[in-house]
Amino acid sequence: MSWLSLDRLQKRYGSIVAVADSSMDIEQGEFVTLLGPSGSGKTTTLAMVAGFIRPDGGRIILNGADITSVPSHKRSLGVVFQNYALFPHLSAFDNIAYPLRVRRLPSEEVKRRVVETLEMVDLGAFANSLPHQLSGGQQQRVAFARAVVYRPEVLLMDEPLSALDKRLRESLQNVLYDLARQLNVTVLYVTHDQEEAMALSDRIAIYRNGVIAQIGTGEDLYRRPKSLFVARFMGDSTILPGMLLRNGASYAVETAHGVFPAGENVDDEMCGGEGQAVSLVIRPESLRFAAPADGLPRLKGILRQQVFLGPIRRVSVELANGSILSARVPSTSQVHAELNQPVEMSWNPREAMLVPHDDDRQEDAGKFNGDSLD
Amino acid sequence: MSARLFRILSAALAVVTGLYFIVPTMVVFWISFTAATELTFPIRAYSVRWYERFFDSTQWAQATITSVLVAVVATSLVTVLGSAMAVGLARGRFKGKKLIVLSVLAPVLVPPVVIGLGMYVQALKLQIVGTFSVLVMAHAALCLPYVVLNVVTSLRTTDETTELAARSCGAHPIRAFVSATLPVIVPGLLGGAVLAFAVSWEETVISSFLATSRTQTLPVVILQQTSYDLDPTVAAAASIVTVISFAIAILFAASRNLTGTRLRKKKNELA
């Protein structure tokens, strides 16, 4: 049996459904990230696990016990908030000691564990500092220390790094990654940043409109998305809308740019069979400058930009219908075209991904990263 | 106009304004030390006989005790109730909140004579005119806005997620409030309490409606004595009331600085 189970969690606010169905099973020591655009239900789900919000339906099972109606302070939780939420009048030491003192541990024990935890987050020298005397990164490390000092059964983190600048965020990602695994604590982590999710998590649950669109490892979601939404949310891509064709044993997609093989992950159940509206998704790193007669599927266009970025070259190609295809090719590969001259980009058909047509992409339009070519 | 001249002029204006407010008070102080039996100045001979008279008189002693007791009880009551109300108003989301805010502010907006009359009529009906409790209740109602406004203002500087954090650390919601929010609002709470005490201490109009001879407060007795005869004991009493009011004002200023000083001290210890 899994360590933490969310069983069909639901939350409504009046007529607005914040969470329609949140279900997942999490193993002990697993790091699971809830990823999604704002308003997709990820933070509400976290708040229900924390006990800050009472679900309208469903159950939360932790370590074999139903904690759905257990108040927050009686769940064994650690919570890290985006804005740190430290006690402003208490020193770093007293902040971290708080959960131990609430649990009436002897003062020797409190001191030993706080000092140990301060060392763990590399803040041994700041025990007596008040929160406002610490930098944002240091405050968040104090908040992390306060959340783990009593070894909670689950650690919940709500966008803990999004108030920090990019460089600090990346270095703290490494700190969080190492500490979470070193402590072997079960983590539920909320973010809207898919790179952060991939950097930290064992598994990622992508939320959309209050339901989990897909759950899996970062690579699963990136390479084998089950929907256009997931494909786009996990990273940039070139998207070719079209119609599914059956070609003997294999499938192909008829698009405005030609007919292309449909990749490997196609089955009737997923795409609804021949004649269905689908999209072919090609990641930027799958594209190459086409070699003559290499037999690979290809798109023709005009080379508009190619920028050397060290390990890769960023390439923009304007296709016949005016839309832009973006590619990231290894910088060691040959450039077969001059700027503003015709060029052909090819890809390995096994790396292209097929997803069903998405009806309501309007509402999430602002959150998409990919350039649609329709 | 040169900057220097402007500075001198504005300083002079400040002094004149200050004098305008303080001179009438100073005159009362001055007269209270007269040796004569009338409230007249300038004074020819000085004495402290009217202060002796004040401290010897049972009527004045009774009024002083009543004033202090009413102020202390009303302030304590209103500090607890007003803080609770402030938390509800600052954090709660419910219908009719604006109406409640308006009704809390009413004592500041409605003329004291109107409030006094209204309370008097009701107290008559309930047959509680002249009791200690009705004075305390009336004063508490008057003091409420000062506590509520002060505490609401300081609650704005607090962060509710800190309380959630405390609860996730294992603290009962009440303990979470006490350890996460209360320390931050204590200066505002003290400030509100000091203001409430001052309001109760100086309140005259409503108390004159509700008090009988047994329960008259100091300002009521001063007002009454002034309209009967101009015995300089009144000036002595007024001076005592004023000194205490000033002491309260200083306390209020001190309570505003409380957290600032504490943080600075902590900082110095670390340096």
Side-chain angles (χ1 to χ4, degrees):
Chain A
M1 187 172 175
S2 55
W3 179 249
L4 172 66
S5 293
L6 314 188
D7 179 17
R8 287 164 293 154
L9 282 181
Q10 283 178 34
K11 183 68 195 175
R12 287 178 299 273
Y13 293 103
S15 61
I16 298 160
V17 179
V19 174
D21 178 0
S22 216
S23 298
M24 67 178 90
D25 294 315
I26 297 161
E27 298 306 320
Q28 186 168 16
E30 202 179 7
F31 196 124
V32 175
T33 293
L34 315 184
L35 176 68
S38 55
S40 59
K42 57 192 195 305
T43 299
T44 308
T45 299
L46 194 81
M48 288 192 279
V49 178
F52 301 149
I53 295 176
R54 221 190 154 80
D56 293 325
R59 295 184 309 158
I60 303 163
I61 314 288
L62 176 59
N63 193 10
D66 185 337
I67 60 163
T68 317
S69 51
V70 173
S72 196
H73 64 280
K74 288 185 180 156
R75 303 181 183 190
S76 174
L77 301 171
V79 185
V80 180
F81 297 85
Q82 180 178 352
N83 64 352
Y84 323 132
L86 296 173
F87 305 118
H89 57 290
L90 295 182
S91 66
F93 184 97
D94 290 332
N95 262 286
I96 299 170
Y98 186 82
L100 302 176
R101 288 179 176 150
V102 167
R103 287 171 173 74
R104 299 177 196 280
L105 265 63
S107 64
E108 286 305 306
E109 174 79 359
V110 169
K111 187 166 182 198
R112 189 183 63 73
R113 285 171 73 168
V114 173
V115 169
E116 181 188 295
T117 313
L118 270 166
E119 293 299 333
M120 190 180 78
V121 295
D122 212 13
L123 285 174
F126 296 92
N128 293 320
S129 303
L130 289 168
H132 73 96
Q133 296 164 329
L134 298 170
S135 71
Q138 288 169 333
Q139 287 185 53
Q140 199 52 297
R141 278 186 282 160
V142 173
F144 180 83
R146 181 180 64 181
V148 298
V149 68
Y150 53 99
R151 298 290 183 269
E153 291 179 338
V154 188
L155 178 60
L156 308 173
M157 293 196 254
D158 185 10
E159 309 232 4
L161 304 181
S162 50
L164 305 170
D165 66 59
K166 192 172 188 293
R167 261 173 64 191
L168 198 56
R169 203 155 63 220
E170 277 163 11
S171 83
L172 264 178
Q173 269 176 21
N174 292 329
V175 173
L176 287 184
Y177 184 96
D178 291 342
L179 287 176
R181 277 145 184 99
Q182 184 189 324
L183 296 167
N184 194 33
V185 62
T186 310
V187 180
L188 214 51
Y189 189 98
V190 163
T191 183
H192 60 264
D193 179 339
Q194 91 278 5
E195 280 182 35
E196 188 172 298
M198 285 195 271
L200 288 168
S201 325
D202 298 318
R203 280 193 301 157
I204 299 169
I206 297 198
Y207 276 76
R208 181 194 194 187
N209 299 336
V211 296
I212 297 174
Q214 194 174 346
I215 184 165
T217 64
E219 190 163 356
D220 252 347
L221 300 175
Y222 188 81
R223 298 267 173 237
R224 288 172 289 280
K226 290 202 168 80
S227 64
L228 190 57
F229 177 81
V230 171
R232 295 175 114 156
F233 204 84
M234 292 306 288
D236 290 343
S237 42
T238 296
I239 292 157
L240 304 172
M243 198 177 74
L244 194 62
L245 299 176
R246 187 159 217 149
N247 192 359
S250 61
Y251 287 97
V253 183
E254 186 182 353
T255 75
H257 304 274
V259 177
F260 302 111
E264 289 198 318
N265 65 334
V266 188
D267 56 62
D268 281 352
E269 188 201 346
M270 181 173 157
C271 292
E274 179 147 22
Q276 288 301 308
V278 292
S279 288
L280 196 63
V281 178
I282 308 162
R283 295 291 184 200
E285 67 275 15
S286 295
L287 289 159
R288 294 287 180 275
F289 291 108
D294 58 6
L296 293 175
R298 57 189 63 205
L299 283 164
K300 290 183 180 131
I302 307 290
L303 183 64
R304 288 301 182 201
Q305 194 188 48
Q306 68 100 358
V307 182
F308 178 80
L309 292 173
I312 59 149
R313 234 180 263 282
R314 197 178 63 213
V315 176
S316 297
V317 175
E318 187 182 336
L319 300 180
N321 63 354
S323 58
I324 300 291
L325 168 155
S326 60
R328 283 194 288 270
V329 303
S331 58
T332 47
S333 67
Q334 288 293 311
V335 181
H336 290 290
E338 299 291 316
L339 219 53
N340 298 323
Q341 294 300 310
V343 68
E344 288 188 359
M345 304 300 292
S346 67
W347 66 93
N348 181 339
R350 292 164 60 177
E351 292 177 19
M353 307 171 285
L354 196 76
V355 293
H357 176 70
D358 204 323
D359 288 331
D360 51 358
R361 75 181 66 150
Q362 282 300 316
E363 60 191 299
D364 308 297
K367 294 290 169 189
F368 284 154
N369 302 309
D371 303 309
S372 186
L373 296 189
D374 42 5
Chain B
M1 190 168 19
S2 77
R4 194 184 147 79
L5 189 63
F6 182 75
R7 266 209 307 277
I8 291 169
L9 275 180
S10 56
L13 187 67
V15 169
V16 170
T17 313
L19 284 177
Y20 175 76
F21 283 116
I22 212 160
V23 160
T25 313
M26 295 319 288
V27 167
V28 173
F29 265 104
W30 189 27
I31 297 176
S32 72
F33 289 102
T34 185
T37 54
E38 298 97 33
L39 267 181
T40 51
F41 68 101
I43 294 172
R44 287 185 201 87
Y46 290 89
S47 95
V48 291
R49 58 188 281 205
W50 303 112
Y51 284 88
E52 285 168 8
R53 170 74 75 83
F54 176 88
F55 286 110
D56 283 344
S57 146
T58 46
Q59 193 198 8
W60 287 113
Q62 180 71 49
T64 310
I65 292 168
T66 305
S67 266
V68 171
L69 278 183
V70 167
V72 166
V73 177
T75 302
S76 317
L77 197 68
V78 89
T79 303
V80 175
L81 295 179
S83 301
M85 192 165 193
V87 172
L89 289 175
R91 298 267 169 90
R93 284 181 209 99
F94 51 89
K95 277 181 188 164
K97 192 161 134 178
K98 283 188 174 151
L99 207 69
I100 291 178
V101 171
L102 201 69
S103 70
V104 170
L105 290 178
V108 183
L109 305 172
V110 180
V113 173
V114 177
I115 300 177
L117 185 63
M119 284 183 171
Y120 179 63
V121 172
Q122 281 184 56
L124 268 182
K125 180 145 194 182
L126 296 169
Q127 299 186 325
I128 50 171
V129 175
T131 58
F132 180 73
S133 334
V134 77
L135 272 179
V136 166
M137 283 191 283
H139 280 221
L142 289 180
C143 299
L144 191 66
Y146 301 93
V147 173
V148 172
L149 288 181
N150 260 284
V151 177
V152 163
T153 308
S154 52
L155 275 170
R156 294 236 166 84
T157 67
T158 65
D159 180 1
E160 222 172 325
T161 51
T162 316
E163 251 178 72
L164 292 182
R167 281 161 59 185
S168 72
C169 286
H172 185 275
I174 292 172
R175 179 164 186 178
F177 176 80
V178 169
S179 49
T181 305
L182 196 60
V184 185
I185 64 167
V186 156
L189 202 142
L190 284 182
V194 170
L195 275 182
F197 191 92
V199 167
S200 168
W201 178 250
E202 292 168 7
E203 206 295 312
T204 317
V205 179
I206 294 161
S207 305
S208 1
F209 274 103
L210 295 174
T212 52
S213 59
R214 263 186 330 105
T215 51
Q216 280 173 333
T217 60
L218 261 185
V220 173
V221 177
I222 290 172
L223 190 69
Q224 212 176 45
Q225 295 281 314
T226 319
S227 42
Y228 290 141
D229 58 87
L230 286 181
D231 178 339
T233 317
V234 172
S239 302
I240 288 167
V241 170
T242 312
V243 166
I244 291 177
S245 293
F246 268 110
I248 294 168
I250 291 165
L251 250 170
F252 177 71
S255 78
R256 292 269 100 167
N257 286 325
L258 203 65
T259 22
T261 330
R262 216 166 46 195
L263 289 183
R264 251 174 277 136
K265 235 161 94 186
K266 219 38 186 254
K267 213 168 191 171
N268 292 342
E269 277 165 24
L270 289 168

